[in-house]
Amino acid sequence: GLMYTETGNFPAAMTALTRALPSARNAGDSDQESGIFNNLGLAHLGAGQFSMAIPCYERSIEVSHSAKTPGLAQALPLLNIAVASLYLRDFSRGLSAAERAIDLLPDPSDDSERMTRATIEFAYTRLLLEVRNVPLALERAKMARLHAKGAGALGELYADMALGLGEVHDPAT
């Protein structure tokens, strides 16, 4: 499913991921089930089906929550809800999802968590700019920069984009 998503074959990705769900459920593997729902949402997101992606992410969160999995397993689908909401122009929902994701990763402890937190801050910055809250967007862009340290090139890129977008919208600059 992931291979199909990465190569842009979204119908095949959705089929493969949907077929994988019963196996995860039958095995009682909540981590896999949650991941499959998150990846199914990513396939819908990639296909431009933003409103269909959100229920997949919500189900991923429900499964993670019931299995009491770590914050990262719930923060990722919340990040994806924020991104889908941005495209749907449902800024209230997106802001709420980003804030919840940040609450789940207050102090990222490894590179994966730092990368996720930097990405969340980037999405949060974009949403804040859409609602014209430039001061808070600039603050969150700085948080993206802080968390991008050690998160690799992609984390650094998201932080740079957040800062650049903030500066473009800042009347002082």
Short mmCIF file of all heavy atoms in Angstrom, two decimals, residues 90-118:
data_model
loop_
_atom_site.label_atom_id
_atom_site.label_comp_id
_atom_site.label_asym_id
_atom_site.label_seq_id
_atom_site.Cartn_x
_atom_site.Cartn_y
_atom_site.Cartn_z
N ASP A 90 -10.90 24.18 6.36
CA ASP A 90 -11.56 24.02 7.65
C ASP A 90 -10.51 24.33 8.71
O ASP A 90 -9.96 23.44 9.36
CB ASP A 90 -12.10 22.59 7.79
CG ASP A 90 -12.93 22.39 9.05
OD1 ASP A 90 -12.94 23.29 9.93
OD2 ASP A 90 -13.54 21.31 9.18
N PHE A 91 -10.21 25.61 8.85
CA PHE A 91 -9.09 26.04 9.66
C PHE A 91 -9.28 25.74 11.14
O PHE A 91 -8.32 25.40 11.83
CB PHE A 91 -8.79 27.52 9.42
CG PHE A 91 -8.55 27.84 7.97
CD1 PHE A 91 -9.24 28.86 7.35
CD2 PHE A 91 -7.65 27.10 7.21
CE1 PHE A 91 -9.03 29.15 6.01
CE2 PHE A 91 -7.44 27.37 5.88
CZ PHE A 91 -8.13 28.41 5.27
N SER A 92 -10.49 25.84 11.62
CA SER A 92 -10.76 25.56 13.02
C SER A 92 -10.39 24.11 13.36
O SER A 92 -9.73 23.83 14.36
CB SER A 92 -12.23 25.83 13.34
OG SER A 92 -12.52 25.49 14.66
N ARG A 93 -10.84 23.19 12.52
CA ARG A 93 -10.53 21.78 12.74
C ARG A 93 -9.03 21.53 12.64
O ARG A 93 -8.44 20.79 13.43
CB ARG A 93 -11.27 20.92 11.72
CG ARG A 93 -10.97 19.44 11.86
CD ARG A 93 -11.61 18.66 10.73
NE ARG A 93 -12.35 17.55 11.28
CZ ARG A 93 -13.21 16.83 10.61
NH1 ARG A 93 -13.47 17.11 9.36
NH2 ARG A 93 -13.82 15.81 11.17
N GLY A 94 -8.40 22.15 11.66
CA GLY A 94 -6.96 21.98 11.48
C GLY A 94 -6.15 22.51 12.64
O GLY A 94 -5.20 21.86 13.11
N LEU A 95 -6.52 23.69 13.13
CA LEU A 95 -5.83 24.27 14.28
C LEU A 95 -5.98 23.39 15.51
O LEU A 95 -5.01 23.15 16.24
CB LEU A 95 -6.34 25.68 14.56
CG LEU A 95 -5.94 26.74 13.53
CD1 LEU A 95 -6.80 27.99 13.69
CD2 LEU A 95 -4.46 27.07 13.64
N SER A 96 -7.17 22.89 15.72
CA SER A 96 -7.43 22.02 16.87
C SER A 96 -6.58 20.74 16.78
O SER A 96 -5.98 20.31 17.77
CB SER A 96 -8.91 21.67 16.95
OG SER A 96 -9.16 20.75 17.97
N ALA A 97 -6.53 20.15 15.60
CA ALA A 97 -5.74 18.93 15.41
C ALA A 97 -4.25 19.20 15.65
O ALA A 97 -3.57 18.40 16.31
CB ALA A 97 -5.97 18.36 14.02
N ALA A 98 -3.75 20.31 15.12
CA ALA A 98 -2.33 20.65 15.30
C ALA A 98 -2.02 20.87 16.78
O ALA A 98 -0.99 20.40 17.29
CB ALA A 98 -1.97 21.88 14.48
N GLU A 99 -2.90 21.55 17.48
CA GLU A 99 -2.69 21.80 18.91
C GLU A 99 -2.69 20.50 19.71
O GLU A 99 -1.86 20.31 20.61
CB GLU A 99 -3.74 22.77 19.43
CG GLU A 99 -3.54 24.18 18.90
CD GLU A 99 -4.76 25.07 19.03
OE1 GLU A 99 -5.82 24.62 19.53
OE2 GLU A 99 -4.66 26.24 18.61
N ARG A 100 -3.59 19.59 19.37
CA ARG A 100 -3.63 18.30 20.06
C ARG A 100 -2.36 17.50 19.78
O ARG A 100 -1.82 16.84 20.67
CB ARG A 100 -4.86 17.50 19.63
CG ARG A 100 -6.15 18.04 20.21
CD ARG A 100 -7.41 17.35 19.70
NE ARG A 100 -7.35 15.89 19.76
CZ ARG A 100 -7.98 15.09 18.91
NH1 ARG A 100 -8.72 15.60 17.93
NH2 ARG A 100 -7.90 13.78 19.03
N ALA A 101 -1.87 17.56 18.54
CA ALA A 101 -0.65 16.84 18.18
C ALA A 101 0.55 17.40 18.94
O ALA A 101 1.40 16.64 19.43
CB ALA A 101 -0.41 16.93 16.67
N ILE A 102 0.62 18.71 19.08
CA ILE A 102 1.70 19.34 19.84
C ILE A 102 1.65 18.89 21.29
O ILE A 102 2.68 18.59 21.90
CB ILE A 102 1.64 20.87 19.69
CG1 ILE A 102 2.06 21.27 18.28
CG2 ILE A 102 2.51 21.57 20.75
CD1 ILE A 102 1.77 22.72 17.93
N ASP A 103 0.45 18.83 21.85
CA ASP A 103 0.29 18.38 23.24
C ASP A 103 0.80 16.95 23.44
O ASP A 103 1.27 16.61 24.53
CB ASP A 103 -1.17 18.47 23.68
CG ASP A 103 -1.64 19.90 23.89
OD1 ASP A 103 -0.79 20.81 23.98
OD2 ASP A 103 -2.88 20.10 23.94
N LEU A 104 0.68 16.13 22.41
CA LEU A 104 1.13 14.74 22.51
C LEU A 104 2.65 14.60 22.42
O LEU A 104 3.20 13.58 22.83
CB LEU A 104 0.48 13.89 21.42
CG LEU A 104 -1.00 13.61 21.60
CD1 LEU A 104 -1.60 13.02 20.33
CD2 LEU A 104 -1.22 12.67 22.78
N LEU A 105 3.32 15.60 21.86
CA LEU A 105 4.78 15.57 21.72
C LEU A 105 5.40 16.84 22.30
O LEU A 105 6.07 17.59 21.60
CB LEU A 105 5.17 15.45 20.24
CG LEU A 105 4.85 14.15 19.53
CD1 LEU A 105 5.20 14.24 18.06
CD2 LEU A 105 5.57 12.98 20.19
N PRO A 106 5.20 17.07 23.60
CA PRO A 106 5.71 18.32 24.18
C PRO A 106 7.23 18.42 24.16
O PRO A 106 7.79 19.49 23.92
CB PRO A 106 5.18 18.31 25.61
CG PRO A 106 4.95 16.87 25.92
CD PRO A 106 4.58 16.22 24.61
N ASP A 107 7.91 17.32 24.38
CA ASP A 107 9.38 17.28 24.40
C ASP A 107 9.86 16.09 23.57
O ASP A 107 10.13 15.02 24.13
CB ASP A 107 9.89 17.16 25.84
CG ASP A 107 9.50 18.36 26.69
OD1 ASP A 107 9.77 19.49 26.26
OD2 ASP A 107 8.92 18.13 27.78
N PRO A 108 9.97 16.27 22.26
CA PRO A 108 10.40 15.15 21.41
C PRO A 108 11.73 14.57 21.90
O PRO A 108 12.65 15.32 22.21
CB PRO A 108 10.55 15.78 20.03
CG PRO A 108 9.74 17.03 20.08
CD PRO A 108 9.77 17.49 21.50
N SER A 109 11.80 13.25 21.96
CA SER A 109 12.97 12.61 22.55
C SER A 109 13.89 11.92 21.55
O SER A 109 14.98 11.52 21.92
CB SER A 109 12.52 11.59 23.61
OG SER A 109 11.72 10.60 23.00
N ASP A 110 13.45 11.77 20.30
CA ASP A 110 14.33 11.16 19.30
C ASP A 110 14.12 11.86 17.96
O ASP A 110 13.27 12.74 17.83
CB ASP A 110 14.10 9.65 19.21
CG ASP A 110 12.68 9.27 18.79
OD1 ASP A 110 12.03 10.05 18.06
OD2 ASP A 110 12.22 8.18 19.17
N ASP A 111 14.91 11.47 16.97
CA ASP A 111 14.86 12.13 15.67
C ASP A 111 13.49 12.02 15.01
O ASP A 111 13.01 12.97 14.38
CB ASP A 111 15.93 11.57 14.73
CG ASP A 111 17.34 11.95 15.15
OD1 ASP A 111 17.49 12.81 16.04
OD2 ASP A 111 18.29 11.38 14.59
N SER A 112 12.85 10.88 15.15
CA SER A 112 11.53 10.68 14.56
C SER A 112 10.51 11.63 15.18
O SER A 112 9.71 12.26 14.47
CB SER A 112 11.09 9.23 14.73
OG SER A 112 9.82 9.03 14.18
N GLU A 113 10.54 11.75 16.50
CA GLU A 113 9.62 12.66 17.19
C GLU A 113 9.94 14.11 16.85
O GLU A 113 9.03 14.93 16.68
CB GLU A 113 9.66 12.44 18.70
CG GLU A 113 8.99 11.15 19.12
CD GLU A 113 8.94 10.98 20.63
OE1 GLU A 113 9.41 11.86 21.38
OE2 GLU A 113 8.41 9.93 21.07
N ARG A 114 11.23 14.44 16.73
CA ARG A 114 11.61 15.82 16.37
C ARG A 114 11.13 16.16 14.96
O ARG A 114 10.63 17.25 14.70
CB ARG A 114 13.12 16.02 16.51
CG ARG A 114 13.57 16.22 17.95
CD ARG A 114 15.03 16.62 18.04
NE ARG A 114 15.93 15.48 17.88
CZ ARG A 114 16.21 14.61 18.83
NH1 ARG A 114 15.65 14.72 20.02
NH2 ARG A 114 17.03 13.61 18.61
N MET A 115 11.28 15.20 14.05
CA MET A 115 10.82 15.40 12.68
C MET A 115 9.31 15.62 12.65
O MET A 115 8.81 16.53 11.99
CB MET A 115 11.20 14.18 11.83
CG MET A 115 10.62 14.17 10.45
SD MET A 115 11.21 15.56 9.47
CE MET A 115 10.08 15.44 8.12
N THR A 116 8.60 14.80 13.38
CA THR A 116 7.14 14.94 13.43
C THR A 116 6.75 16.27 14.04
O THR A 116 5.88 16.97 13.51
CB THR A 116 6.51 13.77 14.23
OG1 THR A 116 6.87 12.54 13.58
CG2 THR A 116 5.01 13.90 14.30
N ARG A 117 7.40 16.65 15.12
CA ARG A 117 7.07 17.92 15.78
C ARG A 117 7.37 19.10 14.85
O ARG A 117 6.57 20.05 14.76
CB ARG A 117 7.82 18.04 17.10
CG ARG A 117 7.57 19.31 17.87
CD ARG A 117 6.11 19.45 18.35
NE ARG A 117 5.90 20.76 18.91
CZ ARG A 117 6.09 21.07 20.19
NH1 ARG A 117 6.42 20.13 21.06
NH2 ARG A 117 5.89 22.29 20.62
N ALA A 118 8.50 19.08 14.14
CA ALA A 118 8.81 20.15 13.19
C ALA A 118 7.75 20.23 12.10
O ALA A 118 7.33 21.32 11.70
CB ALA A 118 10.20 19.94 12.58
#
